[in-house]
DNA sequence: CCTCCACAGGAAGCGCAGGAGT
DNA sequence: ACTCCTGCGCTTCCTGTGGAGG
C-alpha cells in the first residue's frame, strides 16, 4: 500500500514539470549579477574602496541598515568587482560575528583571522596578545591592502566589547607593507553610540546607510529573481505583488520577500499545482510564521518552555482571562511532575515577559479593583501553531 | 473617601560558569 | 595552574498601584 502511494507521488513528481527552474536563486546565499535599487550604495562603496586600485589605503567603512536591506550583498558584490580589477590580489577576510562558537570571543575571532592565512592555532591555551602578534606578522608578510569585513559587528561589540576593534583599527600604525581596512556591517544603529569615541571615529570614517526597500522596489527585486528561479509562466499574476506588500509591511525586508516567494513555490509544488497562486503566498506566510515560532520555542530554556506549557494547558481548559497567579499554580504542578526546580513567581513573571517579547503571548497589566492588579495573558498563536507547539512540548514534558 | 487585593516590577545580592590576566 | 572578573539566572525584599467594594 505504502509503496504504491509513494510511487504515485514520485510519478507525479517526474511526470509534471515543477514550478522551479533554479530554486537556489531565491536563497540568501545567492549573489545575483544585478542588484536593483542599490546603485547609489554600490557606487558609494565603490568610491570609498577604490583607493585599493592605486594601492592606497581606503577609509574604514561602517555600513548600517535593517535586516534584508542588502548590506552584505552589496558589500560582497563591490568587493568582488574590486578584486576582479586587481586580478585577485586584494585580500579579503569575511567574518560573520554572530556565528556562535566560531567568532564570538576575542580569542576565537583572532584564531579565525589567523586561519584565513592557512595557519591553525590551538583552540585554547595561548595568550590573546600572542595571537595578535601572530595575526600581525601574517598580515605584514603580504603586500598591499587587506579588507576585513565584519558582518553583524554589533553582536561582536555586545559580546566582547570594543577593545578588539580598538586594537584592529590601530594595527595600521605598526604595519609596514600592508594596510588593513575594516568594513563593519550592522543592522543596529544605536550601538555605535555606546562605543569608545576613538573606535567610533576610526571605524566610521565613512558611512553608508541602507534604507528599507519599499513595496515597488521589492517587486522589482522579486520579478528579477523569479525569472531565474521559476519556469516561465508558472508564477501567476499578483503573487509577486503580494509577497512584496507583505514584506514591505515588515520594515522592507527583502529576505522575507524572497523567503515568501520561495516557500510559496514549494507549497505549490507540494500541492501538485503547476502554478504558484496567491493562496500559496498566504500558506507560505503561515508556514514561515509557524516555523519561526516553533524554532523559538525549541531553543528556549527548559524553564521557559515549562511556563509556556502552563499557559497552553490553561488555554486548553478554556480558562478565560488568565493571570500570572493562575499560570504559576499550573507551573508548579508541571515542575513537580517533571522533577524540575520550582522557580519563584517573580522569576516566572519575567519569563512571561520574555514570551511576550517573542510575540508568543500578549500580556497587559490590568486592575481588577478589589481583586488585585495583575497581568492578563493571552496566547498569540494560530490554532495550527498551538497544536504543533503543544506536540513538541508534550514530548519534552510529562 | 479609604482599603486592600494580587500582583508589577525595581534594587540588591548570591552562586555559578567560563573567560581574562598572571 | 591559579586567582580574579564578569555576565547570567535566580532569589529576596521591597515599594507602588488601579479600582471594586465597603
Amino acid at each position: 500500500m505504502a509503496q504504491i502511494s509513494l510511487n504515485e507521488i514520485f510519478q507525479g513528481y517526474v511526470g509534471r514539470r515543477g514550478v522551479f527552474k533554479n530554486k537556489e536563486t531565491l536563497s540568501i546565499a545567492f549573489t545575483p549579477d544585478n542588484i536593483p535599487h542599490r546603485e547609489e550604495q554600490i557606487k558609494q562603496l565603490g568610491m570609498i574602496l577604490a583607493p585599493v586600485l592605486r594601492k592606497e589605503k581606503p577609509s574604514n567603512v561602517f555600513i548600517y541598515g535593517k535586516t534584508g536591506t542588502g548590506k552584505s550583498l552589496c558589500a560582497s558584490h563591490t568587493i568582488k568587482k574590486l578584486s576582479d580589477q586587481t586580478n585577485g590580489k586584494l585580500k579579503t577576510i569575511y567574518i560573520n560575528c554572530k556565528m556562535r562558537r566560531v567568532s564570538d570571543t576575542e580569542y576565537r575571532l583572532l584564531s579565525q583571522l589567523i586561519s584565513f592565512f592557512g595557519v591553525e592555532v590551538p583552540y585554547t591555551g595561548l595568550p590573546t596578545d600572542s595571537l595578535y602578534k601572530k595575526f600581525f606578522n601574517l598580515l605584514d608578510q603580504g603586500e598591499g591592502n587587506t579588507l576585513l569585513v565584519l558582518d553583524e559587528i554589533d553582536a561582536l561589540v555586545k559580546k566582547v566589547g570594543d577593545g578588539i576593534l580598538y586594537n584592529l583599527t590601530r594595527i595600521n600604525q605598526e604595519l609596514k607593507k600592508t594596510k588593513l581596512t575594516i568594513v563593519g556591517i550592522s543592522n543596529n544603529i544605536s550601538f555605535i553610540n555606546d562605543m569608545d569615541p576613538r573606535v567610533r571615529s576610526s571605524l566610521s570614517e565613512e558611512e553608508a546607510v541602507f534604507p528599507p526597500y519599499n513595496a515597488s522596489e521589492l517587486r522589482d527585486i522579486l520579478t528579477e529573481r523569479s525569472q531565474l528561479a521559476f519556469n516561465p509562466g508558472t508564477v501567476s499574476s499578483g503573487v509577486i505583488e503580494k509577497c512584496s506588500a507583505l514584506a514591505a509591511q515588515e520594515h522592507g525586508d527583502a529576505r522575507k520577500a524572497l523567503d515568501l516567494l520561495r516557500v510559496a513555490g514549494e507549497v505549490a509544488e507540494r500541492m501538485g499545482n503547476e502554478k504558484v497562486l496567491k493562496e500559496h503566498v498566504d500558506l507560505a506566510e503561515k508556514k514561515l510564521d509557524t516555523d519561526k515560532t516553533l524554532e523559538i520555542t525549541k531553543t528556549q530554556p527548559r524553564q521557559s518552555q515549562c511556563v509556556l506549557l502552563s499557559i497552553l494547558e490553561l488555554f486548553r481548559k478554556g480558562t478565560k482571562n488568565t493571570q500570572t497567579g493562575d499560570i504559576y499554580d499550573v507551573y508548579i504542578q508541571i515542575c513537580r511532575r517533571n522533577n524540575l526546580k520550582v522557580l519563584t513567581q517573580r522569576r516566572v513573571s519575567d519569563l512571561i515577559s520574555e514570551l511576550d517579547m517573542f510575540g508568543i503571548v500578549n500580556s497587559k497589566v490590568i486592575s481588577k479593583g478589589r481583586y488585585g492588579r495583575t497581568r492578563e495573558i493571552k496566547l498569540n498563536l494560530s490554532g495550527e501553531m498551538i497544536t504543533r507547539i503543544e506536540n513538541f512540548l508534550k514530548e519534552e514534558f510529562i
Side-chain angles (χ1 to χ4, degrees), chain A residues 50-194:
Chain A
V52 298
L53 299 174
R54 285 194 223 139
K55 312 214 164 169
E56 290 162 13
K57 187 206 173 305
S59 303
N60 292 330
V61 204
F62 188 66
I63 300 174
Y64 54 84
K66 294 196 171 157
T67 42
T69 49
K71 301 182 295 295
S72 311
L73 188 61
C74 291
S76 61
H77 173 83
T78 312
I79 290 169
K80 184 165 182 308
K81 287 271 144 91
L82 218 47
S83 176
D84 291 347
Q85 289 280 315
T86 59
N87 297 320
K89 272 188 187 161
L90 176 66
K91 280 190 291 295
T92 318
I93 305 175
Y94 174 89
I95 287 186
N96 187 323
C97 306
K98 220 173 184 173
M99 301 264 282
R100 270 187 215 165
R101 309 251 119 220
V102 178
S103 48
D104 58 355
T105 70
E106 192 173 13
Y107 190 96
R108 289 198 190 116
L109 185 81
L110 281 166
S111 71
Q112 273 284 101
L113 290 175
I114 291 167
S115 75
F116 263 92
F117 292 91
V119 179
E120 291 305 322
V121 131
Y123 292 116
T124 179
L126 298 178
T128 319
D129 61 326
S130 82
L131 286 197
Y132 270 113
K133 275 201 194 102
K134 195 160 221 150
F135 174 59
F136 177 85
N137 287 331
L138 287 165
L139 202 57
D140 216 19
Q141 274 171 23
E143 294 271 332
N145 279 287
T146 304
L147 290 184
L148 172 57
V149 184
L150 294 172
D151 207 343
E152 316 232 29
I153 196 172
D154 45 333
L156 178 72
V157 174
K158 200 176 165 201
K159 258 254 160 194
V160 297
D162 51 17
I164 186 167
L165 294 177
Y166 181 69
N167 290 332
L168 285 175
T169 49
R170 272 176 30 130
I171 208 167
N172 280 317
Q173 294 166 12
E174 318 276 328
L175 287 167
K176 296 202 176 63
K177 289 187 267 174
T178 343
K179 291 292 171 201
L180 182 71
T181 301
I182 299 176
V183 180
I185 303 179
S186 162
N187 41 36
N188 184 342
I189 305 159
S190 61
F191 98 102
I192 199 163
N193 299 323
D194 309 332

Side-chain angles (χ1 to χ4, degrees), chain A residues 345-357:
Chain A
Q345 185 164 332
R346 179 71 187 82
R347 180 64 188 142
V348 170
S349 165
D350 278 346
L351 291 176
I352 294 171
S353 304
E354 277 172 35
L355 291 175
D356 189 12
M357 290 213 301

Side-chain angles (χ1 to χ4, degrees), chain A residues 23-56:
Chain A
K23 195 159 76 176
E24 294 301 300
T25 58
L26 295 177
S27 90
I28 2 155
F30 179 74
T31 314
D33 295 328
N34 185 26
I35 306 172
H37 301 294
R38 282 294 176 252
E39 293 81 10
E40 277 300 309
Q41 282 77 9
I42 290 174
K43 210 160 88 187
Q44 189 191 356
L45 283 178
M47 272 159 65
I48 295 167
L49 298 175
V52 298
L53 299 174
R54 285 194 223 139
K55 312 214 164 169
E56 290 162 13

